[in-house]
Amino acid sequence: MKTTDIIKGILASAFVVLVYSCGIPKVTTKENSVNLPSSYANNSVDSTSVAQLKWKDFLMMRT
């Protein structure tokens, strides 16, 4: 009798925890604290791009 009361209490507690943990969390957003310039000096463009690398060459470099 005492063990069944303990088991019922544990199951009830687990159910309450399960119900409260299934809620959808609130989505928080942070606004930018740094203002970025609309354009950078010299309008420089990066000439190297990984998009130009073929996948076979990439895999050969790793071995």
Side-chain angles (χ1 to χ4, degrees):
M1 175 103 175
K2 197 173 201 180
T3 57
T4 57
D5 290 339
I6 293 172
I7 292 174
K8 287 180 184 178
I10 291 172
L11 289 176
S13 299
F15 180 74
V16 169
V17 169
L18 180 68
V19 167
Y20 281 112
S21 66
C22 289
I24 299 172
K26 294 180 181 178
V27 177
T28 59
T29 58
K30 180 181 176 186
E31 293 190 26
N32 293 336
S33 59
V34 177
N35 293 330
L36 298 176
S38 59
S39 64
Y40 293 98
N42 300 333
N43 292 331
S44 61
V45 178
D46 189 9
S47 62
T48 59
S49 175
V50 188
Q52 303 299 324
L53 184 63
K54 297 180 181 178
W55 67 270
K56 289 181 182 178
D57 295 335
F58 174 74
L59 293 177
M60 294 303 289
M61 288 187 334
R62 300 189 83 195
T63 57

